[in-house]
Amino acid sequence: MNQVVKLDRHDVIAIITINYPPVNALSAAVRRGLVDSVNAAISDPEVKAIVLTCAGRTFIAGDDIKEFGKPPQPPSWNEMMAVLENSPKPIVAAIHGNGLGGGLEVALVCHFRVATQDAKLGLPEVKLGLLPGAGGTQRLPRAVGPELAVKMIVGGDPISAADALKYGLIEEIVVDPASGGEAFARKVLAEKRPLRRLRDDDSKLAAAKADRSIFTDAVTEMTKKARGREAPFVAAGAVGFAIDLPFEEGLRRELEGFNKLFAGGQSKAQQYAFFAERAAKKIAGLPEGTESRPVNRVAIIGAGTMGGGIAMSFANAGIAVTLVETSQEQLKRGMGVMQKNWEATAKRGGIPQDAPAKRMALINGVVGLENVKKADLIIEAVFETMAVKKEVFSKLDQYAKPGAVLASNTSYLSIDEIAKATKRPQDVLGMHFFSPANVMKLCEVVRAAKTAPDALATAVSIAREIAKVPVVVGVCHGFVGNRMYDRSGKQAEKLLFEGALPQQVDAVMTKFGMPMGTFVMHDMAGLDIGWLSRKERGVKSEIADALCEAGRYGLKAGKGYYKYEAGSRAPLPDPEVERLIGETLERLGLKRRVVSDDEVLERLMYPIINEGAKILEEGIASRPSDLDVVWLYGFGWPIYRGGPMYWADQIGLDKVLAKLKEFHASLGDDFKPAPLLENLVAEGKKFGELKQPAR
Ligand code: 3HC
Ligand code: NAI
């Protein structure tokens, strides 16, 4: 029919195949080809039924996001959906891979659906800050009932083909989409099945019409974690229209909601984040065709906080690891923490009951570094001192097999320096996970001066295999995430010396959308470790020191920057802390002033942006969007604000620069504007306009 849609006929069955790699997104050309093919099949007197299928790795994965914001091209979605739905001949959608977003909506407008066993079906539009805008909120509840529809539409996660069959979203599971779809179409003809148009079938809405709590309870459950995001709430409302309004009216209201979200800033930020994550996969400077090394065995050194979390991430992905410790005692402690962690998740229903035992069985705990001999990848997560790291790496050099990738999880230390402890610096790199490592998705893959391209590719690919989001960065103190974060942490502390309280600073951060504030985080990590380290180094942080002197070591002590009731992790503001801060300031001769929330936000966030600009200047990261991905997946930056660099572009870099200059006078070099930022402002440009590396 055209370059991207093919029409074949197998006697009475027309087969329409979309072939628009990589994901058969519904571009204007695909819509044109689809409409023309269906019309041609309808007017062909030989054709009795139509199968819609896709070539390549997937069914339609949705509207073409790359065409968003461009002038609309015909045929419109409305026209396409009407042609499909009103076809007098049955249309069977045959789904493999992913049937997502507009792709599932196209399938829903067909009269029958079949799918392969491994197919995933879902409406993930909320993840782009949108709602399904082509009838999904009206047809899905009619296909599967409002409860599951709310789960899928408001949560955005897809369901399996088995569940789709169970809940009536598909009619059959098939082995091959094209031939399975065709066989099903023949069955429809043989059995003279009437066309099933979901728009005319309200049967699955009846229960929720009689008892609205079926719907409202599902919405309450699914919006629990949606704080700050608009789309889940608007999407939930649209499912409500399916229950309350006639189909056409529901469809009209759905489109209103879609257009409102589409025009808003949150959706633009979330679309940006989608592409930012994919851009991060393109590694600058990696020669074309670089193959990663095969990884069959993995060893992790150190079963502490991070080593344990990293081992869990591998086991969660079904990959066995050898976990190396210095003593049986340490090993037992580390293994015990992992077991408890998984058991707690199983108890909450997060993983199957038998998962903890199965996952523990994948972890082979051993004592002694000589146990790494068979590993293709070794990740070190021992104490954070250069001497210990060097000792471990020189031993790894002795024991590891040739070609094994040697990774360090160090937070701050130089990978170049660590690599020098070996005779194979080409195999050494950083794999910096974020805490808790079994939860946070970010993995900074640190490319050192001598890291070989295939070693880098190996780390990136294994990180993806364990469901992490890898971002390639260069060597510097703290790499990207911690280096930027520390600028903000420093200001948070400083603000307490001027009159802000921990609860004010933290409230500004959580209102902005961060998952938690700096001081709650300090309490969780424990204040005593920093205190001891300061004492050793002979440095002071008077407020934090005063808290520790008063036995306020954080959550574990029931008091820190906040107080905690027995058995509770909920931080409660404590007048005692205010008194301690007041006394400290008095002792230091400092006057408290009222610090506005706006100032708190600017003081916390603008140094992050400035540091990001310096990181880009130094070539530590390849593109501003990589920094945003680090923040989204390492620190839980609110996705509807895109990331700090994107957010800065939205505020206007001239405004950010002006504030930095204003603060620089009194607050020091963290506010000294990065030359890159000054240049961009002088040229009237944004971070988003910086030239992107080719690969
Ligand atoms: N439109 C345009 N391009 C898309 C796309 C889409 N809907 N989905 C994926 N792509 C592109 C990616 O940008 C990437 O391009 P690149 O190679 O140039 O970077 C390429 O396809 C491959 O994507 P992934 O790297 O993500 O491949 P995976 O195999 O890991 O994942 C996927 C495939 C599960 C389909 C994943 O890409 C995905 O989740 N896509 C988005 C699905 C989605 O959100 N659909 C809804 C769109 S909005 C909509 O339909 C509105 C409607 O209601 C009217
Ligand atoms: P930890 O103190 O909890 O664990 C370190 C473990 O390594 C201990 O169990 C120790 O017995 C073991 N170990 C020490 N020397 C060893 C050796 N030679 N062989 C085998 N095991 C050995 O420390 P944590 O917090 O897990 O940190 C580990 C590394 O990860 C550090 O480099 C740290 O900077 C980094 N990191 C820490 C994060 C955190 O939030 N805790 C976040 C990201 C990175």
Side-chain angles (χ1 to χ4, degrees), residues 11-31:
D11 56 79
V12 294
I13 312 287
I15 315 268
I16 299 172
T17 310
I18 298 173
N19 187 3
Y20 184 51
V23 295
N24 293 312
L26 276 156
S27 65
V30 172
R31 295 200 302 275

Side-chain angles (χ1 to χ4, degrees), residues 304-306 325-326 330 381-384 389 409 411 433 435:
T305 311
M306 292 306 287
E325 258 295 347
T326 45
Q330 286 296 85
V382 306
F383 304 130
E384 180 77 348
K389 302 281 189 201
N409 181 50
S411 309
F433 294 85
S435 183

